[in-house]
Amino acid sequence: MAALADSERHDICSLCYTQQKTFLCGSCKYLRYCSKDCQKKDWKIHRRECGSHELANMSLKTRQTVMLLYRVLRAVEADNSLFMLLKGLIGHESDMSSDRISQLGSIATSMLAFMNERDIRMFDDLDAGEGKELVISLLARLESNSFAMWDSQLFPTGAGLFLFGSLLNHSCTPNALLSFRGRQVIIRCLEPITEGEEICHSYTDPAMPTPERRLYLRNQYLFDCDCPRCKQLLPSFVHDQPLENGQDVQQCVETVERHRRGDSENDNPSVVMAELQRCVTLQGKVLHRLHTDLLRTTQTLLDLCLEIQDWTQASLYCASIIDTYQAVYSSRHPLIGIYYFTLAKCQWNGNRSNDALETLRMSLEILRLTHGADEPLVLEVVSLMKQAESECAK
């Protein structure tokens, strides 16, 4: 059960969640489908969403939450036994602040305004309690147990509730990760797990600075993480010397964000490159090498180099990103495998076949584990590896 993020609807089917060529619903021009068959199967639920003025007037976040809960409730309607599983999830309402409960109340009001009389009668059929009170309770469970979903490149695609997956606890040093294929969530081991050992995945990005990571877990999931990684803070993200260039560093952050939004005053690649290189040099003198602002500037430089096909510079920036990720993630994190693949393509296009082949092997070792051998991204790696092997054999 999932609701797709608005920004990603352009290429993901709203029923099977596969990423491929899609077409818009002819009526609401909102949801997309990969085939007429998927559209027909989804109509039983989508007919209520289609053309809803209530949905159209909601904020994007509220709309996604309402659509996810509505689809969960329709699944419950089809199989009442799911309701007991849903109610059995922990919602942490007693630990929530009054402001958080008030926010859920506002979403519950929007939810009930969206539902019609037939939908609301479902609560009576389930003997589930009063409408708004029940919706708040279900929203609390949804917030504490739903997952952000992402594609093979780790770009966010939406949010989903997977009852079995919600049984897994959090760890900042996880031994497993979740991946998504269509309507399925797949739990993959990142390391050997012995019998009786708990399987854990990370509820947040382990690369976040420890204070930010702990604050996110406290605010979103209402628990304090005291794992070994949280007790052993990473080195300070700022060098000990006074920030004499602090204002310039902040201007660099604004410059990078402007370029990423496409709002740059000058779109000449040479000018943009020089400006970003000045930023990364300045940030490197002031910020810790693992600082997220420095990483973001490097990623922006990499994107620009890929765009203008400067394979030499792209290889350098990609290698720098990999070094950063290796310091903050486990050695088998999928992002490292993805960036190894990017680096290999830069090396291949730069006529460095031997280097590309070695990098592809490192990418494949990780991505086979994190994505599965039959994932299209992994097949791309295998295909390029065969070309590199053929070229190196000459």
Side-chain angles (χ1 to χ4, degrees):
M1 295 170 280
L4 301 177
D6 289 83
S7 61
E8 299 299 330
R9 292 186 183 278
H10 61 280
D11 62 355
I12 299 178
C13 177
S14 298
L15 180 72
C16 67
Y17 312 137
T18 55
Q19 207 163 3
Q20 54 188 299
K21 186 176 180 180
T22 59
F23 60 88
L24 282 168
C25 168
S27 179
C28 69
K29 302 291 192 296
Y30 183 61
L31 296 192
R32 286 181 171 269
Y33 299 97
C34 65
S35 67
K36 291 293 184 181
D37 185 51
C38 276
Q39 185 180 28
K40 183 177 180 180
K41 289 178 180 177
D42 196 42
W43 181 243
K44 185 176 181 180
I45 295 178
H46 181 51
R47 66 191 303 170
R48 177 68 192 97
E49 302 166 336
C50 194
S52 167
H53 295 296
E54 294 85 0
L55 276 180
N57 292 329
M58 294 177 192
S59 68
L60 295 183
K61 180 174 175 56
T62 298
R63 183 191 306 169
Q64 181 176 328
T65 302
V66 167
M67 290 182 70
L68 175 55
L69 181 54
Y70 182 68
R71 287 176 174 258
V72 168
L73 290 174
R74 293 306 298 267
V76 167
E77 184 183 29
D79 183 357
N80 286 3
S81 64
L82 291 176
F83 185 75
M84 296 309 298
L85 293 175
L86 186 62
K87 286 284 286 184
L89 298 177
I90 298 175
H92 298 288
E93 297 103 310
S94 61
D95 297 323
M96 290 183 177
S97 66
S98 57
D99 287 344
R100 183 82 169 268
I101 293 293
S102 178
Q103 290 171 0
L104 294 183
S106 297
I107 299 175
T109 299
S110 299
M111 178 77 192
L112 291 170
F114 163 70
M115 298 173 73
N116 58 28
E117 290 184 8
R118 177 188 174 280
D119 295 327
I120 294 174
R121 283 200 301 272
M122 184 196 321
F123 297 144
D124 297 330
D125 296 339
L126 293 169
D127 191 23
E130 295 297 324
K132 185 172 182 179
E133 179 183 344
L134 174 64
V135 173
I136 291 175
S137 175
L138 294 177
L139 285 169
R141 283 157 175 74
L142 204 63
E143 282 203 354
S144 297
N145 295 278
S146 59
F147 303 132
M149 299 170 64
W150 52 82
D151 62 15
S152 61
Q153 299 280 352
L154 301 191
F155 292 119
T157 57
L161 178 66
F162 303 90
L163 295 176
F164 179 73
S166 67
L167 297 175
L168 300 185
N169 282 327
H170 163 81
S171 173
C172 294
T173 52
N175 56 14
L177 62 80
L178 305 184
S179 61
F180 302 91
R181 180 172 296 180
R183 298 171 66 91
Q184 288 184 315
V185 59
I186 301 171
I187 303 170
R188 300 188 185 278
C189 299
L190 291 174
E191 58 189 48
I193 299 175
T194 60
E195 183 177 352
E197 183 181 355
E198 184 175 16
I199 301 174
C200 297
H201 74 111
S202 181
Y203 292 1
T204 185
D205 185 352
M208 291 173 64
T210 299
E212 293 181 23
R213 192 173 65 246
R214 297 189 76 221
L215 180 62
Y216 174 81
L217 292 170
R218 160 47 54 185
N219 290 340
Q220 181 65 32
Y221 295 103
L222 302 169
F223 71 88
D224 294 312
C225 185
D226 292 314
C227 72
R229 178 165 183 165
C230 284
K231 292 179 179 178
Q232 297 176 352
L233 296 177
L234 288 172
S236 172
F237 278 172
V238 179
H239 291 311
D240 292 334
Q241 67 265 30
L243 290 181
E244 298 175 356
N245 298 318
Q247 186 175 358
D248 290 340
V249 170
Q250 181 56 39
Q251 289 175 348
C252 285
V253 173
E254 295 168 1
T255 297
V256 170
E257 290 308 307
R258 193 168 61 250
H259 286 305
R260 294 184 75 87
R261 292 194 308 267
D263 296 337
S264 178
E265 296 177 359
N266 193 323
D267 58 0
N268 184 306
S270 298
V271 174
V272 175
M273 178 74 75
E275 189 173 19
L276 291 174
Q277 286 176 333
R278 182 188 71 82
C279 287
V280 83
T281 299
L282 177 60
Q283 289 174 319
K285 293 178 179 178
V286 177
L287 304 177
H288 189 274
R289 69 181 184 87
L290 303 181
H291 198 288
T292 52
D293 288 344
L294 181 57
L295 174 63
R296 195 163 179 81
T297 305
T298 308
Q299 288 172 327
T300 307
L301 276 164
L302 171 61
D303 292 341
L304 178 60
C305 290
L306 293 175
E307 182 181 337
I308 65 176
Q309 299 185 1
D310 184 340
W311 307 120
T312 300
Q313 287 295 316
S315 296
L316 293 174
Y317 292 127
C318 195
S320 175
I321 292 171
I322 291 172
D323 286 342
T324 300
Y325 283 155
Q326 287 177 326
V328 296
Y329 289 123
S330 72
S331 60
R332 299 181 180 89
H333 193 279
L335 264 179
I336 297 176
I338 290 170
Y339 272 94
Y340 268 137
F341 186 34
T342 301
L343 175 58
K345 287 186 286 187
C346 293
Q347 293 167 334
W348 174 257
N349 288 317
N351 298 316
R352 296 165 56 193
S353 302
N354 289 311
D355 291 338
L357 180 57
E358 183 60 31
T359 306
L360 285 166
R361 287 171 177 158
M362 292 187 287
S363 174
L364 186 61
E365 182 180 0
I366 296 172
L367 295 180
R368 268 184 176 164
L369 178 68
T370 61
H371 287 60
D374 57 345
E375 169 67 36
L377 177 64
V378 176
L379 297 179
E380 282 186 54
V381 177
V382 172
S383 176
L384 184 56
M385 183 181 293
K386 289 180 180 178
Q387 294 181 57
E389 287 173 340
S390 176
E391 182 67 25
C392 292
K394 292 180 181 179

